[in-house]
Amino acid sequence: MNAGSKDKLQAQASRRILVLGGGIAGLTAAWELAQLNFDIELAEQSSFLGGHAIQFCCKAAEACQKCGACSVEKRLLEVIQEPRIKVRLRSQLSGVDHNGAFSYVLSRRPLYIDPKRCTDCGICFEKCPAPGAILRGFSKNDVPLYAVEERCCLYFKDGSCRLCEAICPEKAIDLDRGAEALEGVADAIIVATGFHAFDPVARPRYGYGINKNVITALDLERMLREKAEVLRPSDNRAPEKIAFIQCVGSRDHQLGHGFCSQVCCAYAIRMAEAISHRFPGMEATVFYMDIQNCGKDFARFYERAKDHIRFVRHMPGDIFQGDEDRLIVCYGDEKTGRASRESFDLVVLSVGIMPGLSNPALAETLNLAVDPHGFLASTDPLDSTTTGRKGIFLAGTVQGPKDIADSIAQAGQAAQRAARYLRVIHGRSE
Amino acid sequence: MAEVNRIPMNTTVLVIGGGWNGIKVASELSHAGFSVLLVEGGESIGAQGPSQQLIAASEGELSDLLEAARQDGGIEVLTSSRVVSVNGAPGDFHIRLVQGDNFLERNVGAVVVALEAQKVSMDQSYGLDGHENVLSQSELERVLVSAEEKARLTGDGSREVLFLVGLKQEGHPVVMERAIRSAVEIQDSAGLQTTILVGNVKLAAEGLETLYKESRAKGVLYFKVREAPLVKQNGASFSATLYDNVLHDHVELTPDVVIVEEAILPHPETEALGRVLRIDRDPPGFFQPDNVHFYPVRSNREGIYVIGSARQPASLRQGWTDAQNAVLEISRLLGTGERLVPKEKAKIHRGKCTICLTCYRVCPHGAISWDNRAIISPVACQGCGICASECPMDAIQLVDYEDDRIKDQIVLAGETRPDSPQIVAFCCQNSAYEAGEMARTFGSVLPEGLRMIRVPCAGKVDVDYILTAFQAGADGVLVFACHKDNCKSERGNTFAEWRVEDAGRMLEEIGLERERLQFSTIASNMPVEFLRITRALEEKLKQLGPNRIKKQAAA
């Protein structure tokens, strides 16, 4: 069959696809399919598109370190400018029925700020008296840029405040708006609901949540992105010695996490490199089991990193509070095996990618398998987008740990598989 | 809106490399309605590719795929063939091939490079070349698929097998997985003791941590060492002494068989093919620049895509992920055989052009060809403007960013007379412009005298623009580019930096302070840095006082 007649078939075919999850994988799958003239409904459970990756900082040192955070920014802009993609924020899949096509229901939490009216002026954000009640997206490309967080909002607590409604010059805020159920039909579904970052409270020996100067790598990402500096939380002073601890939550068989998170060595080394380049007084030490590769030219990248970063092959035992808010890290010396203690100003826990919290419910709703670690299982060893159900494809970290580049690649694959699937079902039904 | 042309796109795709990635992409392209020309240098397709082990593991699927590809009327296979020249533009490439003594000519719309990497034994690096009972990983895998040879290897079951991995090169999950799988197989089936000496255990791929754990449960021993041990032939067996960091003691191993890892290197044809296709390679020599803008499968030229181990060491699964991405790119590019493109993205002034070919040489996207005059393909052109700024005759204008219009903006910026220093910032649309807009959206107070001028790429910023800005009264000029290795046009940032250096020298010659002109790199997601950089320049300019040219003009 030639391309022309195939296309005519395609044009008659139904062209609706539901993408679940608005992180880098979901954005990519949605955008790629829109370029092939499919109509996309993109559901994101949080108030903003971009997922975890939109919170990440640029890690360039002297040169770009290829973390890919900027590609998320670009993809987000492309998606919001794409008329074929209908974005549904604060929305989750609540039910689905498969009779040839997928009939589904998205339950949407109230969108208190009307994206059509909001002009991003930020007055609500500035004037809101309750910390955390008005959230701002991480990127200027988030539409709307602001959202109301019920848990912190005084109106939802005791009805005592409606200041934002009153002061919004565009009258874009309505705190009485209700939740909605949005019904839709799609011929294929791409599941790209992402991951959950390991909560290091479950690894108490590192003292996260107790010692202020123990932070997660995600905290550091956001600090670098929002403030462009590194400060230790206890006194807002610049640390001199920073320790990165790898494999926090991942490769941890005691916790039942028998998988490598694949991204932590990459982000830790890249952030340590960026920090030592931007703030020459700071020294970074990375405690690790095995250094994992990233990028196209890892051997050279790692060699160069060794000039600026100290790598210690030992997983620290305990971390406790020393003088002046410093932290004492206990670890074994690789050569002698003797116990060492060393103090640091800031400890960064390289927390791993864990299965998304919504995976069990999603697996049940969509009748998909879950792998032994809790990620949604792919059923084809040569194609990780494949599920046991026709017309449903996986993309990104919902299926297992991966970095931005691999998430983009898998999302492209899922988009292509979905396009191919629609071609096939159409061919059969005509 | 610029004028649009409807141009025909050839829907035949050339696939170079008949390994498993080449076959996969050919088959998927055919399914999507494209005709495929699959060119393989060797005598048959499907002969090379992933490890023997993987082929054995997924044999059914691979042999079905090969059979289907052979039967597929939409796929023409040319073996013992080589591409010798590629001309034209995406949608209309003219290909010349050699098959034996024959020259063939074909027209295609797009090209997929699916050359498979080569695996080269590192026995020499370990000082083990020429030894009997030293096998490379690939040799071992070939032994393991033959029952007879396997029995010869394992002998009476009392032998010890030692693997050397990641000690003479930075390891890789693809290399690691093969070693672990072989070790498990030997340990499982013959009860031999296998030991893996390894630098870093590379497990950053799906399922590898589980495999690693299972292998240890089955008795495979691992020693993580810093350096490769000296392995000596000792009669019929070997001796290897190493320092173990867990026992904190020296350990002596006496293996009967040693398996050495392989380096994964670009296919031997890579360099030559790169010249034919005019596509760039990364520092290790694989196709595709090491630059996030090209991920996953783009090359620096529109219409030419690189997949699998043509671009980096990759498992079969990763190669097939790439294959699907290439199909996606090609579907978007060629569509149904027609494409709407702006009539021109860049205009060449025929009277000014002297066919010096500067534009041809500097275009990072291979978008320029010539035929008694330079021709810019509107499909291939990415609109970066590097050619326009490098052209010694100023014969090229970008339709969306004509020099006169940019200069108007520069002059307009000079007409405002803020109380604070006046700064003209040339902002690449991919980075600084976004960062500046984000800073503004987030309510940052940018310098009062800052004027952002959007350019398609820092490579579009001409020395002329900079001088015009100072002439028009700017107290300072900032040229913002993307970070090194992050330019969407690869070298636009480098060109911009050179030009800032040139312009800086000129400023000094006319007696203006060099510090008034600054080159900075930034990314789109760095609003705070944007604020910091522009504020810092503002402070510096306050100290320097107003631009002398402006003062003279005012006087």
Side-chain angles (χ1 to χ4, degrees):
Chain A
M1 201 187 308
N2 68 35
S5 66
K6 266 232 161 110
D7 181 69
K8 232 161 65 195
L9 283 179
Q10 265 196 16
Q12 294 159 4
S14 170
R15 311 191 64 86
R16 293 152 302 176
I17 296 173
L18 172 67
V19 177
L20 298 172
I24 182 59
L27 291 174
T28 300
W31 186 78
E32 292 285 4
L33 285 163
Q35 304 317 297
L36 299 181
N37 297 333
F38 289 96
D39 292 312
I40 312 299
E41 186 149 45
L42 173 61
E44 162 59 39
Q45 58 98 19
S46 80
S47 300
F48 305 105
L49 288 179
H52 283 94
I54 199 67
Q55 308 171 25
F56 299 163
C57 62
C58 169
K59 299 174 191 67
E62 201 183 338
C64 169
Q65 299 195 75
K66 291 92 182 180
C67 73
C70 57
S71 14
V72 184
E73 203 68 51
K74 179 168 155 258
R75 188 44 49 85
L76 176 55
L77 182 62
E78 287 168 337
V79 165
I80 58 158
Q81 290 173 342
E82 173 53 62
R84 286 187 181 276
I85 302 173
K86 269 193 229 127
V87 176
R88 306 294 191 202
L89 294 172
R90 297 164 70 87
S91 301
Q92 271 178 300
L93 183 70
S94 57
V96 68
D97 205 10
H98 194 196
N99 300 310
F102 296 96
S103 314
Y104 58 85
V105 182
L106 298 175
S107 54
R108 178 157 79 178
R109 293 184 289 138
L111 265 182
Y112 303 108
I113 302 181
D114 183 348
K116 290 201 187 82
R117 291 188 166 188
C118 175
T119 59
D120 299 348
C121 72
I123 292 175
C124 56
F125 183 70
E126 273 168 48
K127 305 286 181 196
C128 172
I134 301 271
L135 300 174
R136 185 171 72 191
F138 282 85
S139 167
K140 76 163 171 57
N141 300 323
D142 280 310
V143 182
L145 184 58
Y146 299 94
V148 177
E149 171 56 61
E150 294 100 330
R151 272 173 299 183
C152 303
C153 174
L154 298 175
Y155 175 73
F156 291 101
K157 201 167 152 200
D158 52 19
S160 66
C161 173
R162 305 185 76 142
L163 181 66
C164 56
E165 276 183 341
I167 58 172
C168 175
E170 308 296 329
K171 300 282 167 251
I173 306 178
D174 174 6
L175 295 174
D176 293 325
R177 189 161 294 169
E180 289 166 88
L182 307 168
E183 288 179 13
V185 182
D187 298 294
I189 301 177
I190 291 179
V191 185
T193 48
F195 70 96
H196 174 68
F198 178 72
D199 180 359
V201 167
R203 259 277 168 246
R205 69 182 185 204
Y206 294 139
Y208 181 78
I210 298 165
N211 295 326
K212 274 188 178 169
N213 294 335
V214 177
I215 63 171
T216 68
L218 273 176
D219 297 330
L220 182 61
E221 292 264 14
R222 286 191 282 249
M223 196 192 296
L224 281 166
R225 178 161 179 141
E226 289 173 352
K227 299 186 179 141
E229 54 192 352
V230 182
L231 301 171
R232 49 178 216 168
S234 69
D235 54 8
N236 271 329
R237 279 170 45 191
E240 282 173 21
K241 284 182 70 185
I242 305 173
F244 286 84
I245 298 174
Q246 299 307 106
C247 295
V248 177
S250 47
R251 298 190 68 187
D252 189 330
H253 293 275
Q254 283 174 328
L255 292 175
H257 303 161
F259 54 90
C260 168
S261 172
Q262 299 189 33
V263 297
C264 319
C265 287
Y267 69 60
I269 300 175
R270 284 166 173 157
M271 281 201 280
E273 278 280 272
I275 288 169
S276 68
H277 175 77
R278 295 177 200 173
F279 314 103
M282 296 186 195
E283 287 172 21
T285 303
V286 175
F287 292 93
Y288 73 100
M289 275 192 245
D290 295 292
I291 291 293
Q292 303 300 331
N293 297 16
C294 60
K296 285 191 81 188
D297 191 12
F298 181 73
R300 247 162 287 208
F301 170 70
Y302 185 33
E303 273 313 304
R304 274 198 306 268
K306 286 177 191 164
D307 293 340
H308 318 119
I309 303 169
R310 182 165 69 120
F311 288 91
V312 177
R313 188 175 207 160
H314 199 279
M315 294 304 290
D318 294 303
I319 295 175
F320 50 85
Q321 187 89 45
D323 296 338
E324 296 176 348
D325 297 333
R326 288 165 72 86
L327 297 156
I328 313 293
V329 176
C330 306
Y331 66 97
D333 183 276
E334 189 188 344
K335 288 205 180 74
T336 62
R338 261 186 241 119
S340 304
R341 289 177 166 208
E342 190 173 334
S343 81
F344 291 89
D345 302 298
L346 182 69
V347 170
V348 181
L349 304 179
S350 293
V351 290
I353 286 178
M354 299 291 133
L357 299 178
S358 64
N359 285 9
L362 205 53
E364 199 182 313
T365 309
L366 291 170
N367 193 16
L368 300 176
V370 176
D371 79 9
H373 307 301
F375 297 100
L376 295 193
S378 74
T379 53
D380 179 348
L382 289 175
D383 183 338
S384 57
T385 66
T386 309
T387 67
R389 289 197 65 196
K390 286 190 174 132
I392 304 182
F393 305 94
L394 304 176
T397 51
V398 70
Q399 183 265 325
K402 47 188 75 66
D403 63 11
I404 291 173
D406 284 350
S407 296
I408 290 173
Q410 194 189 17
Q413 181 177 23
Q416 169 56 25
R417 289 288 313 281
R420 188 191 205 275
Y421 170 76
L422 291 205
R423 217 155 50 216
V424 171
I425 55 167
H426 184 80
R428 276 186 198 143
S429 63
E430 284 296 302
Chain B
M1 186 66 202
E3 242 183 293
V4 174
N5 273 357
R6 187 179 290 272
I7 63 166
M9 304 293 277
N10 187 323
T11 53
T12 300
V13 180
L14 169 68
V15 176
I16 302 173
W20 293 107
N21 293 326
I23 298 168
K24 179 68 176 176
V25 78
S27 148
E28 292 292 326
L29 282 165
S30 175
H31 190 275
F34 299 100
S35 304
V36 179
L37 178 63
L38 177 57
V39 172
E40 161 62 33
E43 287 172 8
S44 64
I45 58 168
Q48 35 157 300
S51 66
Q52 295 297 319
Q53 210 174 33
L54 233 169
I55 295 170
S58 39
E59 180 151 35
E61 191 167 349
L62 292 184
S63 52
D64 289 353
L65 176 72
L66 181 61
E67 198 44 41
R70 283 189 176 134
Q71 303 293 327
D72 192 327
I75 303 175
E76 182 191 357
V77 178
L78 286 178
T79 52
S80 306
S81 301
R82 195 160 51 86
V83 176
V84 291
S85 80
V86 175
N87 289 304
D92 184 28
F93 286 117
H94 314 295
I95 312 289
R96 292 173 74 206
L97 303 122
V98 182
Q99 187 179 39
D101 297 331
N102 297 329
F103 258 101
L104 304 170
E105 290 194 16
R106 296 300 171 86
N107 293 328
V108 302
V111 180
V112 180
V113 180
L115 292 181
E116 302 281 352
Q118 52 175 332
K119 303 177 199 96
V120 178
S121 171
M122 298 195 77
D123 53 1
Q124 266 187 342
S125 309
Y126 284 96
L128 289 168
D129 47 322
H131 284 265
E132 216 181 316
N133 293 330
V134 172
L135 301 178
S136 72
Q137 178 66 35
S138 290
E139 285 167 341
L140 173 67
E141 286 164 8
R142 279 193 287 273
V143 166
L144 293 180
V145 288
S146 142
E148 195 183 315
E149 286 192 52
K150 187 173 169 182
R152 200 158 38 196
L153 173 87
T154 53
D156 61 359
S158 65
R159 305 176 86 185
E160 290 182 21
V161 181
L162 177 68
F163 287 77
L164 301 171
V165 187
L167 297 169
K168 289 291 183 185
Q169 65 175 351
E170 189 60 47
H172 194 280
V174 170
V175 176
M176 196 70 230
E177 178 171 1
R178 293 170 69 198
I180 301 178
R181 288 202 185 277
S182 297
V184 169
E185 190 180 342
I186 298 172
Q187 186 100 17
D188 254 6
S189 62
L192 270 62
Q193 179 56 53
T194 56
T195 303
I196 296 182
L197 287 192
V198 57
N200 283 298
V201 186
K202 300 287 185 179
L203 299 170
E206 201 174 315
L208 284 196
E209 175 75 33
T210 307
L211 180 68
Y212 173 53
K213 187 169 185 241
E214 280 170 9
S215 73
R216 284 182 295 165
K218 284 177 174 164
V220 178
L221 283 178
Y222 288 82
F223 290 98
K224 292 191 200 176
V225 291
R226 284 264 175 206
E227 281 173 12
L230 189 63
V231 182
K232 283 185 288 197
Q233 181 101 45
N234 192 0
S237 68
F238 296 88
S239 80
T241 306
L242 58 106
Y243 183 79
D244 180 53
N245 294 315
V246 178
L247 301 171
H248 298 292
D249 205 352
H250 289 278
V251 175
E252 195 182 346
L253 303 172
T254 54
D256 303 286
V257 179
V258 178
I259 312 300
V260 287
E261 65 180 323
E262 289 165 326
I264 304 175
L265 302 176
H267 187 283
E269 289 288 319
T270 302
E271 199 181 337
L273 184 64
R275 276 197 299 272
V276 169
L277 295 173
R278 292 203 282 141
I279 57 172
D280 295 337
R281 293 178 297 139
D282 66 7
F286 290 93
F287 284 124
Q288 192 183 54
D290 187 7
N291 177 323
V292 295
H293 294 289
F294 298 96
Y295 293 172
V297 296
R298 295 175 73 89
S299 73
N300 52 301
R301 292 190 69 188
E302 188 79 80
I304 303 182
Y305 307 96
V306 290
I307 65 168
S309 60
R311 68 179 189 99
Q312 62 183 3
S315 65
L316 185 60
R317 186 168 64 176
Q318 289 165 330
W320 286 17
T321 297
D322 285 0
Q324 300 282 13
N325 276 280
V327 179
L328 197 64
E329 292 272 2
I330 289 167
S331 304
R332 200 161 67 210
L333 176 77
L334 303 180
T336 56
E338 252 187 9
R339 191 179 161 90
L340 291 175
V341 291
K343 189 164 170 244
E344 45 192 2
K345 285 183 185 160
K347 284 191 274 202
I348 298 180
H349 191 293
R350 296 286 299 275
K352 289 183 181 172
C353 174
T354 58
I355 325 180
C356 69
L357 302 185
T358 300
C359 55
Y360 171 80
R361 284 194 301 272
V362 298
C363 176
H365 308 288
I368 303 182
S369 54
W370 79 93
D371 180 13
N372 284 325
R373 65 187 174 101
I375 301 165
I376 300 177
S377 154
V379 186
C381 176
Q382 305 291 310
C384 65
I386 291 175
C387 59
S389 296
E390 284 295 299
C391 175
M393 304 307 293
D394 284 335
I396 306 176
Q397 291 292 330
L398 287 197
V399 171
D400 292 337
Y401 292 90
E402 283 179 15
D403 284 336
D404 288 348
R405 278 186 6 229
I406 292 183
K407 283 185 190 163
D408 286 350
Q409 288 181 52
I410 298 171
V411 172
L412 202 66
E415 279 168 10
T416 55
R417 288 279 181 266
D419 295 334
S420 52
Q422 196 177 88
I423 302 171
V424 171
F426 294 101
C427 298
C428 166
Q429 63 177 356
N430 298 310
S431 54
Y433 193 79
E434 288 290 303
E437 287 293 303
M438 183 130 43
R440 221 169 246 167
T441 307
F442 284 0
S444 299
V445 183
L446 294 169
E448 195 201 333
L450 176 74
R451 293 294 174 272
M452 285 162 61
I453 294 181
R454 180 178 165 150
V455 289
C457 168
K460 179 74 191 82
V461 179
D462 217 317
V463 172
D464 228 23
Y465 293 0
I466 298 169
L467 299 179
T468 306
F470 282 112
Q471 222 167 12
D475 298 303
V477 172
L478 246 171
V479 176
F480 272 118
C482 300
H483 293 110
K484 183 173 178 286
D485 294 348
N486 189 266
C487 176
K488 200 168 166 242
S489 295
E490 281 191 89
R491 292 178 282 277
N493 48 5
T494 312
F495 280 112
E497 194 171 6
W498 289 344
R499 294 194 202 122
V500 167
E501 278 171 30
D502 282 353
R505 275 194 293 273
M506 293 178 198
L507 290 188
E508 280 173 347
E509 277 170 27
I510 58 168
L512 272 185
E513 297 87 347
R514 176 70 185 78
E515 307 96 283
R516 290 182 184 277
L517 172 61
Q518 187 175 317
F519 175 83
S520 294
T521 55
I522 197 163
S524 59
N525 52 3
M526 299 179 105
V528 187
E529 273 85 350
F530 186 92
L531 180 66
R532 190 179 52 73
I533 292 168
T534 50
R535 281 276 184 78
L537 181 61
E538 183 188 39
E539 276 312 303
K540 204 191 306 179
L541 293 172
K542 276 181 184 164
Q543 285 164 19
L544 287 172
N547 164 3
R548 211 168 300 149
I549 301 174
K550 181 161 66 177
K551 264 199 299 199
Q552 282 162 6

